[in-house]
Amino acid sequence: MRIRFPVVVLMAALVAACAHQPPGHDAATERIVNADAGQWPSYGRDYGNRRFSPLKQINRDNVANLVPLWTFKSGINATFQATPIVVDGIMYLSLPFNHVVALDAATGRELWRYQHKRREGYPMCCGPANRGVAVGYGKVFVGTVDARLVALDARTGRVLWDMDAAADGAGEAEKVGVLSDADPLKQARVSGATGVGINMAPVVYQGKVIVGITGVGYGLHLDAPRENAPLGAVVGVAGRYGRPGFLAAFDVESGKRVWQFDTIPQKNWEGKFSATTPDGIPLHRDLAKERATAPSFADAWRFGGGSAWSTPAIDPKTGLLFFGTGNPSPQMDDVSRPGDNLYTVSLVALDANTGKLRWFYQQVPHDVWGYDVASPPVLFDLQRGGKTVPAVGQASKLGWFYVHNRETGELLLKSEAFVPQQNMFTHATEQGVRIYPGVLGGVNWSPAAVDQAAQTAYVAALHWPVKYTLHETPAGGDKPAIRYSALEPLDEPRWGLLSAIDLTSGKLRWQHKTPDPLVGGVLATAGGLVFSGEGNGNLDALDAANGSVLWQYKSDAGVNAPPITYAVGDVQYIAVAAGGSQIFGFRQGDELRVFALEN
């Protein structure tokens, strides 16, 4: 069924959706807190990032009748990770390289397009992907690969303001030339290196737009030698690369910075020199050596890393904000960064109005494996011991789903492992050691979904072993020897795992295995369905109760973005980007596909 609306009706919807609000007015906040069932007004649908929709016109009994309704082709064949935002019948969609379009959400007709012009000569640290926009206060906000935050008029796409979010610089990036001449990786093409960009979808809250920078501890990313193959290697080089990351809030009217939280503190960044993870797993660190060398690296915080990859969750009742941080810099190599490297690889809670730290939980102190806290935190009420506990969960690269008291940070439970685990905290050797999950995850950046009523989290993960090897470029002339380490995906069986996790016990309710690693994210609905995409082009609908596949549709490109659902009039739609993933070797494309029940 295709519903068409006259242009005058669409313009009226745009005006209603984009009515200007005075500074400080929280109408945009209320729109997300009390979202109509048919809307998808923010990255995770609600401030809790639950990605659960109350819509149930499409359900387990009729999903077999789901058919493609319309397809939007952006004209940009590149890694496509965006979550569409749908407000009052208008869809706002960010494209690779930070272009933005507004579409009629019922027909796919393009209403306007913003063409982003990247700063000439600005290095793109982390690829062209963008995970979405934020909509509120009559504006559409997008963060860019060249570290800018842009506000567009939601009615026309006209630029209202454009500011440099990281005006204080990007720091130095690694160069492939430092690798040993005997290392085959030296001949590989560099697809990314430490720098500064914005990858996350912003979030609007109480007159502010909140966003963070990425790439500050990215390391050298090297392509595989053949086309449409996965990442060749991630290389960490000893040295003074990168800078501290941050999460910041900007005034929605002027773009002026309101607050900034630096993910690397200038003081006490060394932490307690922890011998284990907070939940007691040994890290096999040489703490005596670290303490002895610490005075020589007193300024290591200046290069500390700690990217902010994913959209924060916010609790409007308490004003607490939750986000995850990336790995320290240099990536993997730790010679120049003794200590715990606070606040990297952490779940962090801030006051959303001031940016002040409330608590943090560092999943891996002194990380040398690339275990970023990359998947967005999710908020829910946990039923525990006959009581309701406000909780925050995070699906980790380590292969566990962590659940914390969101007021105090106390770890309430850690799920059963949802992926195989081996040598997770083993250090690199010259011969190379096989580890998994490793740098790819576990759960990479893919957002989870939570059905609060069913006390169940749905997590898209991957199994992909990697080889962790220590190298050294010999000294030559007046140049000292350079140590570096490489994580190389192994050419052996790998797969995806979609898991349902009981939040009250941490046990797995069910798992569904897919032939390719899962990267993209999950949608759950009141219709008893879970939707997730695959790199081979499949979009799957599964029974939320048992994980059985009830429907499947195959696109030409990989479905490596999170699905959403929304309604216009009396019709429920499912939408997902099909643009693949360069870094995972999934075929790239330029499509947004939208489905509805066959009439």
Side-chain angles (χ1 to χ4, degrees):
M1 180 191 305
R2 179 179 288 224
I3 299 177
R4 297 187 180 274
F5 293 91
V7 172
V8 66
V9 174
L10 284 171
M11 289 308 298
L14 275 167
V15 171
C18 307
H20 175 77
Q21 301 294 339
H25 196 288
D26 65 352
T29 302
E30 290 302 316
R31 177 182 286 274
I32 298 171
V33 171
N34 299 307
D36 178 86
Q39 314 273 15
W40 195 281
S42 190
Y43 178 73
R45 188 177 183 275
D46 51 41
Y47 278 122
N49 279 341
R50 281 194 289 270
R51 290 187 172 268
F52 178 86
S53 171
L55 295 176
K56 52 186 178 181
Q57 182 183 85
I58 301 167
N59 55 61
R60 60 167 60 95
D61 296 324
N62 61 20
V63 70
N65 299 321
L66 203 61
V67 295
L69 192 64
W70 56 262
T71 299
F72 170 75
K73 294 181 72 67
S74 73
I76 305 166
N77 274 48
T79 301
F80 201 176
Q81 300 177 346
T83 291
I85 300 298
V86 180
V87 178
D88 293 335
I90 309 299
M91 177 183 290
Y92 302 93
L93 178 68
S94 66
L95 309 177
F97 301 100
N98 311 119
H99 311 307
V100 180
V101 294
L103 308 174
D104 174 351
T107 68
R109 184 170 64 86
E110 187 171 315
L111 304 175
W112 56 253
R113 177 180 291 230
Y114 161 71
Q115 293 283 135
H116 181 65
K117 296 178 181 178
R118 182 158 50 105
R119 283 181 281 187
E120 188 174 347
Y122 192 95
M124 193 167 62
C125 67
C126 320
N130 178 275
R131 293 182 185 153
V133 300
V135 177
Y137 305 95
K139 301 173 181 66
V140 178
F141 302 94
V142 62
T144 73
V145 294
D146 50 347
R148 286 150 59 190
L149 181 61
V150 182
L152 309 173
D153 187 313
R155 289 169 290 189
T156 65
R158 179 176 62 89
V159 176
L160 299 175
W161 50 259
D162 179 343
M163 57 84 61
D164 187 352
D168 50 347
E172 185 179 350
E174 305 89 345
K175 303 291 192 299
V176 74
V178 304
L179 305 190
S180 170
D181 290 338
D183 189 344
L185 292 175
K186 192 166 186 175
Q187 308 307 316
R189 188 180 76 87
V190 177
S191 61
T194 291
V196 175
I198 297 176
N199 188 257
M200 72 162 65
V203 60
V204 291
Y205 178 73
Q206 296 289 60
K208 297 177 286 294
V209 54
I210 301 169
V211 76
I213 61 170
T214 54
V216 293
Y218 198 57
L220 273 176
H221 279 53
L222 305 177
D223 277 350
R226 63 188 188 278
E227 190 176 357
N228 288 326
L231 175 72
V234 179
V235 178
V237 183
R240 297 160 74 86
Y241 301 106
R243 53 156 292 165
F246 66 75
L247 187 80
F250 302 85
D251 182 87
V252 296
E253 299 300 330
S254 65
K256 181 180 179 181
R257 198 177 307 252
V258 178
W259 56 255
Q260 178 173 310
F261 174 80
D262 293 325
T263 58
I264 308 295
Q266 296 185 22
K267 295 182 179 180
N268 301 319
W269 58 272
E270 304 95 334
K272 299 178 180 178
F273 289 84
S274 305
T276 69
T277 63
D279 47 330
I281 304 173
L283 294 170
H284 313 295
R285 294 166 62 179
D286 187 343
L287 293 177
K289 182 179 179 180
E290 286 185 43
R291 290 182 188 276
T293 59
S296 300
F297 299 103
D299 67 343
W301 64 269
R302 294 173 50 216
F303 315 96
S307 292
W309 285 104
S310 296
T311 304
I314 300 174
D315 183 345
K317 293 182 179 179
T318 63
L320 285 179
L321 172 152
F322 307 85
F323 79 107
T325 61
N327 55 263
S329 179
Q331 161 86 296
M332 292 155 7
D333 201 283
D334 63 344
V335 171
S336 60
R337 52 173 177 87
D340 292 348
N341 312 142
L342 301 178
Y343 300 105
T344 61
V345 193
S346 297
L347 178 63
V348 178
L350 306 178
D351 184 314
N353 291 306
T354 67
K356 299 297 184 184
L357 178 68
R358 296 289 292 272
W359 59 258
F360 72 95
Y361 181 92
Q362 190 174 35
Q363 289 181 4
V364 183
H366 194 82
D367 172 64
V368 292
W369 301 274
Y371 288 134
D372 314 60
V373 178
S375 179
V378 57
L379 309 184
F380 52 91
D381 290 336
L382 178 68
Q383 302 305 315
R384 186 175 177 85
K387 297 181 180 180
T388 300
V389 181
V392 53
Q394 200 276 324
S396 73
K397 274 191 172 184
L398 299 165
W400 294 297
F401 191 87
Y402 291 84
V403 179
H404 301 263
N405 183 309
R406 66 176 179 255
E407 295 176 355
T408 67
E410 175 193 359
L411 181 64
L412 300 175
L413 65 87
K414 188 176 77 171
S415 75
E416 294 179 330
F418 48 74
V419 292
Q421 297 169 326
Q422 184 183 75
N423 297 328
M424 292 171 57
F425 298 108
T426 301
H427 290 249
T429 65
E430 292 180 0
Q431 296 74 32
V433 60
R434 180 173 177 265
I435 68 173
Y436 46 84
V439 67
L440 300 173
V443 176
N444 201 275
W445 64 270
S446 308
V450 167
D451 183 339
Q452 183 172 262
Q455 293 285 280
T456 304
Y458 302 97
V459 173
L462 57 98
H463 169 68
W464 197 333
V466 296
K467 183 180 180 182
Y468 194 14
T469 310
L470 185 65
H471 300 264
E472 185 174 275
T473 301
D478 60 348
K479 295 182 179 179
I482 298 175
R483 195 183 89 157
Y484 65 94
S485 51
L487 282 164
E488 300 172 71
L490 290 169
D491 187 13
E492 59 181 68
R494 50 188 181 260
W495 56 81
L497 287 162
L498 182 61
S499 303
I501 300 170
D502 184 335
L503 293 172
T504 61
S505 67
K507 295 187 179 299
L508 300 180
R509 294 188 189 274
W510 54 256
Q511 287 193 299
H512 170 68
K513 186 176 180 180
T514 60
D516 289 312
L518 289 178
V519 181
V522 188
L523 162 69
T525 77
L529 296 171
V530 175
F531 290 86
S532 183
E534 301 182 46
N536 60 15
N538 286 338
L539 174 63
D540 304 328
L542 297 90
D543 190 322
N546 55 36
S548 61
V549 177
L550 301 177
W551 173 88
Q552 193 172 74
Y553 181 88
K554 189 173 183 64
S555 296
D556 291 333
V559 179
N560 300 115
I564 70 159
T565 188
Y566 62 93
V568 178
D570 60 354
V571 178
Q572 181 184 352
Y573 303 85
I574 304 293
V576 70
S581 172
Q582 183 269 336
I583 198 169
F584 284 93
F586 297 134
R587 184 175 180 180
Q588 295 172 80
D590 71 339
E591 295 181 340
L592 177 87
R593 289 194 173 271
V594 177
F595 305 85
L597 292 174
E598 189 172 25
N599 192 6

